Amino acid sequence: MQLKYKIVTLSVLPLIASVLIICVLVFAQSRKLEEEQARLVESSIMAAKKAELKNYLELALSLIAPLYQSGRDDEAARQDALRMLSRANFGLDGYFFVYDSHGKNLMHPRQANLVGRELIGMKDKNGLPVIQALLKSAKSGDGFQLYTWEKPSTGQVTDKLSYVVMLDRWGWMLGTGIYIDDVEVATSKSRQEVADGVLTTVLAIASVALIAVLVVFSGGLMLNFSEHRLADRKLSALNQRIVRLQEEERSRVSRELHDGISQQLVSIKFQFELAGLELEKGMPRGLENLKAGTARLGEAIGEIRRISHDLRPSLLDTLGLSPAILQLVRDFEQRTGIRTQFEQGLDDTQVGGEVAVTLYRIIQEALGNIERHSRASAAIISLSCSRGGVALRVEDNGVGFDPGLMERSQGIGLRNIRERVDHHRGTFTLSSSSGRTELQVGIPLDA
């Protein structure tokens, strides 16, 4: 995967993961809230229905109160009470029912087939013995009982909440009930409202996340485009600089060959031709000119070796870094007359080939700067181990300069040194004042 796609992926994936985690948490909390709200709705509705049932039953008791409180226990009074209760209805499915203490139905205005039957063992669809549960609830004083019963208006068996009381003197259980299928509708509606709210919230989160992803993606594309343009400009500048450096190096080698070796070889050619003519004529100076030409040929060969050594020191490949630097220092002293001390505190086996070439080129560039600009009389080159790396120090006693101005100039000497050090992820410092200039380089060996 390319770096730009890695960056976009690392930016988008955590955002998507966060949104997914948030959605999961929202769903989990919504389920909890949905159940809590459904229980709250159900409990509030049931509390209202219980209060409503108590009111209805109090109304029924007030209807038969004159008969019951009169002290009459005859059959006629009881039948009058049953007729009054059978006519007292409320709503579409609201009615009163009466059972004796043994579970026999005495009055049921909506299901006449039950009247006179012993129903003590009758069970609802959930296996609950309904009449036994109603009698137990009435005798315990609570009075409320939940069970399933056929709804008159629809003929469907549904949940019903009843409230019953005992009329002990007559041995009756008087009760009424409300079908609570509307509770299920209300709780389902409550759950649906919560689910709709959660869905709206999740869609909002997803929309925000999508917008954020698009913003991140667009920002990544714009950043990638700008970085591409910047990289293209840097690459173009680097290519131009490489071409310029190649041309400068070729020009330097060409000047040295033309102004040095070429002139010497032409002079040697003329001297050999003169020596040949003189030897043909038997003149005694012919042998001297031949010897002088041979000596100058040796100088030309030495110049060729110097140019070759500048391009690629053979000692660096054959004997190692220290001998190559020592030879470089000797040639520098002979050429410039500047006393140069080389302090070696490094084992060549510790330095790899690429690092050795880098150190050699840095020293070569530094000595070239000392020769051209410093007007120094002495220099010190120190090479040692330091914290798992190589430490190089080049110092001279020249006139000094302003390092800031030099780094902002168009010269390539210090820039080449810095780029070589940066290639190895090393450190580079330069300090200078009148009478002392010091260059320090640190290169880690594991880089």
Side-chain angles (χ1 to χ4, degrees), residues 3 34 96 135 169 174 180-181 197 371 444:
L3 179 60
E34 179 181 329
F96 297 96
L135 287 170
R169 190 158 56 84
L174 172 61
I180 58 173
D181 49 349
E371 179 182 356

Side-chain angles (χ1 to χ4, degrees), residues 54-75:
K54 282 187 175 182
N55 291 331
Y56 288 145
L57 198 59
E58 288 176 358
L59 177 61
L61 291 173
S62 66
L63 287 176
I64 64 173
L67 292 174
Y68 187 76
Q69 294 175 0
S70 66
R72 295 175 56 189
D73 292 330
D74 57 287
E75 186 64 22

Side-chain angles (χ1 to χ4, degrees), residues 181-433:
D181 49 349
D182 57 336
V183 177
E184 182 70 23
V185 174
T187 54
S188 299
K189 183 179 179 181
S190 172
R191 288 190 175 94
Q192 187 62 41
E193 289 176 353
V194 173
D196 292 341
V198 171
L199 180 60
T200 302
T201 303
V202 171
L203 289 177
I205 294 174
S207 302
V208 173
L210 179 60
I211 294 173
V213 169
L214 292 176
V215 169
V216 171
F217 187 73
S218 302
L221 289 180
M222 294 178 62
L223 180 62
N224 181 53
F225 180 70
S226 62
E227 289 296 325
H228 263 300
R229 293 183 60 184
L230 181 60
D232 289 340
R233 288 197 297 268
K234 288 184 177 180
L235 183 60
S236 177
L238 180 60
N239 289 333
Q240 294 176 2
R241 187 178 171 201
I242 290 173
V243 172
R244 186 173 68 252
L245 290 176
Q246 288 177 342
E247 293 300 325
E248 290 177 356
E249 185 65 16
R250 289 172 180 173
S251 299
R252 183 185 69 81
V253 175
S254 175
R255 285 194 305 271
E256 291 188 355
L257 292 176
H258 181 270
D259 298 339
I261 301 301
S262 178
Q263 299 296 331
Q264 286 183 351
L265 291 177
V266 169
S267 175
I268 293 169
K269 176 178 177 294
F270 289 154
Q271 200 157 12
F272 279 162
E273 289 176 351
L274 178 59
L277 291 174
E278 289 176 343
L279 289 174
E280 286 180 0
K281 294 179 181 180
M283 298 176 62
R285 289 183 54 84
L287 185 57
E288 294 179 4
N289 286 328
L290 183 60
K291 292 180 179 180
T294 302
R296 298 195 64 183
L297 182 60
E299 294 176 359
I301 293 173
E303 184 67 15
I304 292 174
R305 287 177 178 173
R306 184 189 65 80
I307 296 174
S308 174
H309 185 75
D310 288 342
L311 294 175
R312 175 70 182 185
S314 59
L315 288 177
L316 191 61
D317 297 324
T318 57
L319 299 181
L321 178 61
S322 298
I325 295 176
L326 189 58
Q327 182 62 42
L328 179 65
V329 168
R330 288 173 181 172
D331 293 343
F332 177 75
E333 282 185 322
Q334 292 177 0
R335 186 174 65 255
T336 63
I338 300 175
R339 281 192 335 274
T340 305
Q341 179 183 350
F342 175 44
E343 299 175 353
Q344 163 65 345
L346 184 68
D347 185 1
D348 286 354
T349 58
Q350 297 175 296
V351 182
E354 190 175 354
V355 176
V357 172
T358 297
L359 293 171
Y360 182 87
R361 292 303 184 191
I362 291 174
I363 295 173
Q364 189 179 40
E365 192 71 48
L367 291 178
N369 288 336
I370 292 173
E371 179 182 356
R372 289 189 294 270
H373 308 296
S374 70
R375 288 181 283 177
S377 61
I380 298 175
I381 299 174
S382 174
L383 198 60
S384 61
C385 288
S386 175
R387 298 179 184 176
V390 181
L392 170 64
R393 181 174 64 90
V394 181
E395 182 180 348
D396 68 78
N397 61 352
V399 296
F401 62 93
D402 184 356
L405 294 177
M406 287 298 295
E407 293 204 11
R408 289 193 295 269
S409 67
Q410 297 299 320
I412 61 173
L414 291 178
R415 188 189 305 170
N416 285 340
I417 293 176
R418 184 180 295 279
E419 289 181 355
R420 289 182 184 274
V421 173
D422 290 342
H423 174 70
H424 294 280
R425 301 175 186 173
T427 58
F428 170 75
T429 57
L430 180 66
S431 60
S432 181
S433 60

Side-chain angles (χ1 to χ4, degrees), residues 57 134 136-145 162-165 176:
L57 198 59
L134 288 172
K136 182 179 179 181
S137 180
K139 291 175 181 179
S140 67
D142 175 61
F144 291 102
Q145 181 62 49
S162 290
Y163 180 65
V164 291
V165 295
T176 186

Side-chain angles (χ1 to χ4, degrees), residues 146-161:
L146 184 64
Y147 55 95
T148 60
W149 197 268
E150 181 181 333
K151 189 175 183 179
S153 61
T154 62
Q156 301 292 326
V157 176
T158 185
D159 291 335
K160 182 177 183 179
L161 177 66

